Short mmCIF file of all heavy atoms in Angstrom, two decimals:
data_model
loop_
_atom_site.label_atom_id
_atom_site.label_comp_id
_atom_site.label_asym_id
_atom_site.label_seq_id
_atom_site.Cartn_x
_atom_site.Cartn_y
_atom_site.Cartn_z
N LEU P 164 91.64 -36.36 -9.43
CA LEU P 164 90.55 -35.44 -9.32
C LEU P 164 90.42 -34.62 -10.64
O LEU P 164 89.61 -33.65 -10.71
CB LEU P 164 90.70 -34.50 -8.15
CG LEU P 164 90.50 -35.20 -6.69
CD1 LEU P 164 90.95 -34.23 -5.66
CD2 LEU P 164 88.93 -35.46 -6.60
N GLY P 165 91.34 -34.91 -11.55
CA GLY P 165 91.30 -34.21 -12.89
C GLY P 165 91.91 -32.89 -12.84
O GLY P 165 91.55 -31.93 -13.68
N HIS P 166 92.88 -32.60 -12.00
CA HIS P 166 93.60 -31.27 -12.05
C HIS P 166 95.10 -31.40 -12.31
O HIS P 166 95.69 -32.53 -12.16
CB HIS P 166 93.48 -30.66 -10.61
CG HIS P 166 92.03 -30.34 -10.30
ND1 HIS P 166 91.35 -29.17 -10.65
CD2 HIS P 166 91.11 -31.03 -9.54
CE1 HIS P 166 90.10 -29.19 -10.14
NE2 HIS P 166 89.93 -30.21 -9.56
N GLU P 167 95.63 -30.34 -12.80
CA GLU P 167 97.04 -30.23 -13.22
C GLU P 167 97.97 -30.50 -12.04
O GLU P 167 97.81 -30.06 -10.92
CB GLU P 167 97.26 -28.85 -13.83
CG GLU P 167 98.56 -28.82 -14.56
CD GLU P 167 98.84 -27.36 -15.22
OE1 GLU P 167 97.81 -26.72 -15.40
OE2 GLU P 167 99.92 -26.98 -15.50
N GLU P 168 99.03 -31.17 -12.35
CA GLU P 168 100.05 -31.39 -11.34
C GLU P 168 100.75 -30.15 -11.03
O GLU P 168 100.80 -29.22 -11.73
CB GLU P 168 101.08 -32.49 -11.76
CG GLU P 168 100.34 -33.95 -11.94
CD GLU P 168 101.41 -34.99 -12.27
OE1 GLU P 168 102.63 -34.79 -11.82
OE2 GLU P 168 101.00 -36.00 -12.79
N VAL P 169 101.56 -30.23 -9.85
CA VAL P 169 102.28 -29.11 -9.32
C VAL P 169 103.79 -29.36 -9.42
O VAL P 169 104.29 -30.51 -9.12
CB VAL P 169 101.96 -28.74 -7.87
CG1 VAL P 169 102.81 -27.60 -7.32
CG2 VAL P 169 100.55 -28.31 -7.72
N ALA P 170 104.52 -28.40 -9.95
CA ALA P 170 105.91 -28.60 -10.01
C ALA P 170 106.60 -28.38 -8.84
O ALA P 170 106.23 -27.46 -8.06
CB ALA P 170 106.39 -27.72 -11.15
N ALA P 171 107.68 -29.15 -8.50
CA ALA P 171 108.43 -28.96 -7.30
C ALA P 171 109.06 -27.63 -7.08
O ALA P 171 109.03 -27.06 -6.05
CB ALA P 171 109.52 -30.16 -7.22
N GLN P 172 109.53 -27.14 -8.25
CA GLN P 172 110.18 -25.82 -8.23
C GLN P 172 109.11 -24.64 -7.75
O GLN P 172 109.56 -23.74 -6.99
CB GLN P 172 110.70 -25.45 -9.55
CG GLN P 172 111.50 -24.09 -9.58
CD GLN P 172 112.73 -24.20 -8.70
OE1 GLN P 172 113.33 -25.21 -8.55
NE2 GLN P 172 113.09 -23.06 -8.12
N ALA P 173 107.79 -24.78 -8.03
CA ALA P 173 106.97 -23.87 -7.70
C ALA P 173 106.64 -23.81 -6.18
O ALA P 173 106.51 -22.77 -5.56
CB ALA P 173 105.59 -24.10 -8.42
N VAL P 174 106.70 -25.02 -5.64
CA VAL P 174 106.47 -25.11 -4.12
C VAL P 174 107.77 -24.56 -3.45
O VAL P 174 107.70 -23.84 -2.52
CB VAL P 174 106.26 -26.59 -3.73
CG1 VAL P 174 106.19 -26.67 -2.19
CG2 VAL P 174 104.88 -27.14 -4.37
N LEU P 175 108.92 -24.91 -3.99
CA LEU P 175 110.26 -24.41 -3.47
C LEU P 175 110.25 -22.85 -3.42
O LEU P 175 110.61 -22.30 -2.38
CB LEU P 175 111.42 -24.98 -4.19
CG LEU P 175 111.67 -26.37 -3.88
CD1 LEU P 175 112.81 -26.97 -4.86
CD2 LEU P 175 112.28 -26.55 -2.38
N GLU P 176 109.78 -22.29 -4.52
CA GLU P 176 109.76 -20.83 -4.65
C GLU P 176 108.76 -20.25 -3.58
O GLU P 176 108.99 -19.16 -3.02
CB GLU P 176 109.36 -20.37 -5.95
CG GLU P 176 110.58 -20.67 -7.04
CD GLU P 176 110.29 -20.34 -8.40
OE1 GLU P 176 109.08 -19.95 -8.70
OE2 GLU P 176 111.14 -20.56 -9.36
N GLU P 177 107.64 -20.89 -3.55
CA GLU P 177 106.58 -20.55 -2.43
C GLU P 177 107.19 -20.49 -1.15
O GLU P 177 106.88 -19.56 -0.28
CB GLU P 177 105.40 -21.52 -2.46
CG GLU P 177 104.31 -21.21 -1.54
CD GLU P 177 103.24 -22.24 -1.55
OE1 GLU P 177 103.15 -23.05 -2.59
OE2 GLU P 177 102.38 -22.30 -0.60
N LEU P 178 108.01 -21.56 -0.75
CA LEU P 178 108.54 -21.60 0.56
C LEU P 178 109.74 -20.52 0.72
O LEU P 178 109.86 -19.90 1.77
CB LEU P 178 109.08 -22.93 0.83
CG LEU P 178 107.87 -24.05 0.95
CD1 LEU P 178 108.42 -25.45 0.89
CD2 LEU P 178 107.21 -23.87 2.19
N THR P 179 110.63 -20.42 -0.22
CA THR P 179 111.78 -19.68 -0.01
C THR P 179 111.41 -18.19 -0.02
O THR P 179 112.13 -17.38 0.58
CB THR P 179 112.88 -19.96 -1.08
OG1 THR P 179 112.25 -19.84 -2.43
CG2 THR P 179 113.43 -21.37 -0.87
N SER P 180 110.35 -17.87 -0.72
CA SER P 180 109.95 -16.43 -0.79
C SER P 180 109.51 -15.90 0.54
O SER P 180 109.51 -14.75 0.81
CB SER P 180 108.84 -16.25 -1.92
OG SER P 180 107.60 -16.88 -1.40
N VAL P 181 109.07 -16.73 1.52
CA VAL P 181 108.53 -16.24 2.75
C VAL P 181 109.43 -16.68 3.96
O VAL P 181 109.21 -16.16 4.99
CB VAL P 181 107.14 -16.93 2.94
CG1 VAL P 181 107.14 -18.28 3.34
CG2 VAL P 181 106.23 -16.05 3.84
N ALA P 182 110.46 -17.52 3.64
CA ALA P 182 111.26 -17.98 4.74
C ALA P 182 111.84 -16.86 5.53
O ALA P 182 111.88 -16.85 6.82
CB ALA P 182 112.34 -18.93 4.22
N GLY P 183 112.41 -15.85 4.94
CA GLY P 183 113.01 -14.76 5.58
C GLY P 183 112.18 -14.05 6.53
O GLY P 183 112.64 -13.40 7.60
N ALA P 184 110.82 -13.97 6.27
CA ALA P 184 109.83 -13.26 7.10
C ALA P 184 109.46 -14.04 8.27
O ALA P 184 109.02 -13.50 9.30
CB ALA P 184 108.64 -12.77 6.29
N VAL P 185 109.52 -15.37 8.16
CA VAL P 185 109.01 -16.34 9.19
C VAL P 185 110.14 -16.76 10.25
O VAL P 185 109.94 -16.77 11.39
CB VAL P 185 108.45 -17.50 8.54
CG1 VAL P 185 108.06 -18.60 9.65
CG2 VAL P 185 107.19 -17.18 7.74
N LEU P 186 111.35 -17.00 9.75
CA LEU P 186 112.32 -17.72 10.59
C LEU P 186 112.77 -16.90 11.67
O LEU P 186 113.08 -17.43 12.77
CB LEU P 186 113.60 -17.98 9.65
CG LEU P 186 113.30 -19.20 8.74
CD1 LEU P 186 114.54 -19.26 7.79
CD2 LEU P 186 113.17 -20.41 9.48
N PRO P 187 112.75 -15.52 11.68
CA PRO P 187 113.13 -14.77 12.92
C PRO P 187 112.22 -15.11 14.11
O PRO P 187 112.63 -14.94 15.27
CB PRO P 187 113.00 -13.31 12.60
CG PRO P 187 113.17 -13.30 11.11
CD PRO P 187 112.62 -14.60 10.55
N TYR P 188 110.91 -15.58 13.87
CA TYR P 188 109.97 -15.83 14.88
C TYR P 188 110.15 -17.30 15.40
O TYR P 188 109.51 -17.68 16.40
CB TYR P 188 108.58 -15.60 14.37
CG TYR P 188 108.37 -14.19 13.99
CD1 TYR P 188 108.58 -13.73 12.77
CD2 TYR P 188 107.80 -13.27 14.94
CE1 TYR P 188 108.29 -12.40 12.45
CE2 TYR P 188 107.53 -11.98 14.64
CZ TYR P 188 107.82 -11.47 13.38
OH TYR P 188 107.54 -10.16 13.08
N MET P 189 110.93 -18.09 14.63
CA MET P 189 110.98 -19.52 15.04
C MET P 189 111.71 -19.79 16.29
O MET P 189 112.74 -19.21 16.55
CB MET P 189 111.75 -20.27 13.86
CG MET P 189 111.72 -21.81 14.10
SD MET P 189 112.59 -22.65 12.71
CE MET P 189 114.28 -22.17 13.05
N ASP P 190 111.23 -20.70 17.19
CA ASP P 190 111.88 -21.04 18.41
C ASP P 190 111.47 -22.35 18.98
O ASP P 190 110.50 -23.05 18.51
CB ASP P 190 111.58 -19.86 19.49
CG ASP P 190 112.78 -19.58 20.30
OD1 ASP P 190 113.47 -20.59 20.70
OD2 ASP P 190 113.02 -18.41 20.56
N ARG P 191 112.19 -22.75 20.13
CA ARG P 191 111.86 -24.09 20.74
C ARG P 191 110.67 -23.68 21.78
O ARG P 191 111.08 -23.34 22.96
CB ARG P 191 113.08 -24.73 21.41
CG ARG P 191 113.99 -25.30 20.41
CD ARG P 191 115.26 -25.60 21.19
NE ARG P 191 116.03 -24.47 21.64
CZ ARG P 191 117.00 -24.38 22.44
NH1 ARG P 191 117.44 -25.56 23.01
NH2 ARG P 191 117.60 -23.37 22.76
N VAL P 192 109.52 -23.80 21.35
CA VAL P 192 108.40 -23.35 22.20
C VAL P 192 108.24 -24.14 23.50
O VAL P 192 108.05 -23.57 24.57
CB VAL P 192 107.04 -23.30 21.38
CG1 VAL P 192 105.85 -23.43 22.21
CG2 VAL P 192 106.97 -22.12 20.51
N TRP P 193 108.45 -25.42 23.42
CA TRP P 193 108.34 -26.33 24.58
C TRP P 193 109.25 -25.80 25.73
O TRP P 193 109.01 -25.86 26.90
CB TRP P 193 108.67 -27.76 24.19
CG TRP P 193 110.11 -28.04 23.79
CD1 TRP P 193 110.51 -28.03 22.48
CD2 TRP P 193 111.22 -28.36 24.57
NE1 TRP P 193 111.90 -28.30 22.44
CE2 TRP P 193 112.29 -28.46 23.78
CE3 TRP P 193 111.44 -28.47 26.01
CZ2 TRP P 193 113.59 -28.71 24.17
CZ3 TRP P 193 112.67 -28.62 26.52
CH2 TRP P 193 113.71 -28.85 25.60
N LYS P 194 110.57 -25.43 25.27
CA LYS P 194 111.47 -24.94 26.27
C LYS P 194 111.16 -23.60 26.87
O LYS P 194 111.28 -23.32 28.08
CB LYS P 194 112.86 -24.82 25.62
CG LYS P 194 114.10 -24.62 26.53
CD LYS P 194 115.39 -24.71 25.88
CE LYS P 194 116.53 -24.77 26.78
NZ LYS P 194 116.65 -23.54 27.61
N ILE P 195 110.66 -22.65 25.97
CA ILE P 195 110.16 -21.39 26.47
C ILE P 195 109.02 -21.52 27.42
O ILE P 195 109.11 -20.86 28.57
CB ILE P 195 109.63 -20.51 25.33
CG1 ILE P 195 110.89 -20.08 24.38
CG2 ILE P 195 108.92 -19.30 25.69
CD1 ILE P 195 110.44 -19.46 23.09
N LEU P 196 108.10 -22.32 27.18
CA LEU P 196 107.03 -22.56 28.13
C LEU P 196 107.50 -23.30 29.41
O LEU P 196 106.94 -22.92 30.47
CB LEU P 196 105.92 -23.45 27.49
CG LEU P 196 105.23 -22.68 26.28
CD1 LEU P 196 104.12 -23.68 25.71
CD2 LEU P 196 104.53 -21.43 26.67
N ASP P 197 108.40 -24.18 29.25
CA ASP P 197 108.96 -24.91 30.51
C ASP P 197 109.53 -23.79 31.44
O ASP P 197 109.41 -23.80 32.55
CB ASP P 197 109.94 -25.93 30.13
CG ASP P 197 110.47 -26.72 31.40
OD1 ASP P 197 109.63 -27.36 32.10
OD2 ASP P 197 111.63 -26.83 31.51
N GLU P 198 110.36 -22.92 30.79
CA GLU P 198 111.11 -21.94 31.66
C GLU P 198 110.09 -20.89 32.19
O GLU P 198 110.27 -20.50 33.30
CB GLU P 198 112.15 -21.28 30.73
CG GLU P 198 113.35 -22.14 30.37
CD GLU P 198 114.27 -21.42 29.43
OE1 GLU P 198 113.86 -20.39 28.78
OE2 GLU P 198 115.37 -22.12 29.11
N ALA P 199 109.07 -20.62 31.35
CA ALA P 199 108.12 -19.63 31.87
C ALA P 199 107.21 -20.32 33.10
O ALA P 199 107.03 -19.65 34.18
CB ALA P 199 107.05 -19.29 30.80
N ARG P 200 106.96 -21.59 33.00
CA ARG P 200 106.30 -22.21 34.13
C ARG P 200 107.04 -22.28 35.45
O ARG P 200 106.62 -21.99 36.42
CB ARG P 200 105.83 -23.63 33.60
CG ARG P 200 105.00 -24.41 34.71
CD ARG P 200 104.72 -25.78 34.11
NE ARG P 200 105.95 -26.61 33.95
CZ ARG P 200 106.62 -27.29 34.85
NH1 ARG P 200 106.20 -27.17 36.12
NH2 ARG P 200 107.66 -28.01 34.67
N ARG P 201 108.32 -22.72 35.10
CA ARG P 201 109.27 -22.83 36.31
C ARG P 201 109.46 -21.43 36.91
O ARG P 201 109.80 -21.38 38.08
CB ARG P 201 110.60 -23.43 35.90
CG ARG P 201 110.40 -24.89 35.49
CD ARG P 201 111.76 -25.48 35.04
NE ARG P 201 111.61 -26.83 34.51
CZ ARG P 201 111.58 -27.90 35.27
NH1 ARG P 201 111.74 -27.82 36.53
NH2 ARG P 201 111.51 -29.13 34.77
N GLY P 202 109.42 -20.35 36.08
CA GLY P 202 109.73 -19.03 36.61
C GLY P 202 108.52 -18.35 37.23
O GLY P 202 108.53 -17.25 37.69
N GLY P 203 107.37 -19.01 37.33
CA GLY P 203 106.13 -18.54 37.89
C GLY P 203 105.33 -17.66 36.99
O GLY P 203 104.36 -16.99 37.45
N SER P 204 105.57 -17.71 35.69
CA SER P 204 104.71 -16.88 34.70
C SER P 204 103.40 -17.44 34.69
O SER P 204 103.20 -18.77 34.70
CB SER P 204 105.49 -16.80 33.37
OG SER P 204 106.64 -16.13 33.39
N ARG P 205 102.44 -16.68 34.39
CA ARG P 205 100.97 -17.02 34.12
C ARG P 205 100.79 -17.31 32.68
O ARG P 205 100.90 -16.27 31.88
CB ARG P 205 100.04 -16.11 34.70
CG ARG P 205 100.04 -16.09 36.23
CD ARG P 205 99.35 -14.79 36.78
NE ARG P 205 100.16 -13.59 36.44
CZ ARG P 205 99.95 -12.46 36.95
NH1 ARG P 205 98.91 -12.18 37.81
NH2 ARG P 205 100.65 -11.38 36.54
N ILE P 206 100.47 -18.46 32.28
CA ILE P 206 100.30 -18.85 30.88
C ILE P 206 98.89 -19.06 30.53
O ILE P 206 98.09 -19.76 31.26
CB ILE P 206 101.08 -20.17 30.49
CG1 ILE P 206 102.57 -19.95 31.03
CG2 ILE P 206 101.09 -20.41 29.08
CD1 ILE P 206 103.35 -21.28 30.96
N LEU P 207 98.37 -18.52 29.50
CA LEU P 207 97.05 -18.65 28.92
C LEU P 207 97.03 -19.39 27.63
O LEU P 207 97.63 -18.99 26.70
CB LEU P 207 96.38 -17.22 28.70
CG LEU P 207 94.97 -17.16 28.36
CD1 LEU P 207 94.02 -17.70 29.30
CD2 LEU P 207 94.56 -15.66 28.07
N PHE P 208 96.36 -20.47 27.64
CA PHE P 208 96.28 -21.30 26.44
C PHE P 208 94.88 -21.11 25.69
O PHE P 208 93.86 -21.31 26.23
CB PHE P 208 96.42 -22.82 26.82
CG PHE P 208 97.69 -23.20 27.42
CD1 PHE P 208 97.91 -23.08 28.73
CD2 PHE P 208 98.76 -23.60 26.60
CE1 PHE P 208 99.08 -23.38 29.38
CE2 PHE P 208 99.94 -23.98 27.17
CZ PHE P 208 100.16 -23.76 28.60
N GLU P 209 95.00 -20.68 24.45
CA GLU P 209 93.86 -20.30 23.72
C GLU P 209 93.54 -21.30 22.54
O GLU P 209 94.34 -21.53 21.66
CB GLU P 209 94.14 -18.99 22.99
CG GLU P 209 93.09 -18.39 22.13
CD GLU P 209 93.53 -17.26 21.31
OE1 GLU P 209 94.68 -16.88 21.22
OE2 GLU P 209 92.56 -16.45 20.90
N GLY P 210 92.36 -21.88 22.70
CA GLY P 210 91.94 -22.81 21.72
C GLY P 210 91.10 -22.18 20.62
O GLY P 210 90.73 -20.94 20.78
#
């Protein structure tokens, strides 16, 4: 498309700079929802 290439280091820095802010929220969502369903929680799915 006629545009400059991206260096791998730039992408790595983009990712590592934000990892610390994101990772505390990471979880096994499928398991959380399975336990919520089995426990009788009401789940709302938002498209």
Side-chain angles (χ1 to χ4, degrees):
L164 292 166
H166 294 279
E167 188 177 342
E168 294 187 23
V169 175
Q172 188 58 35
V174 176
L175 284 167
E176 288 174 2
E177 177 184 343
L178 292 168
T179 54
S180 69
V181 79
V185 172
L186 287 173
Y188 296 89
M189 181 179 76
D190 217 318
R191 288 169 292 168
V192 159
W193 65 268
K194 190 172 189 300
I195 290 170
L196 295 180
D197 184 57
E198 291 172 351
R200 181 183 64 83
R201 292 176 185 276
S204 293
R205 289 163 293 190
I206 307 171
L207 182 62
F208 296 89
E209 174 188 22

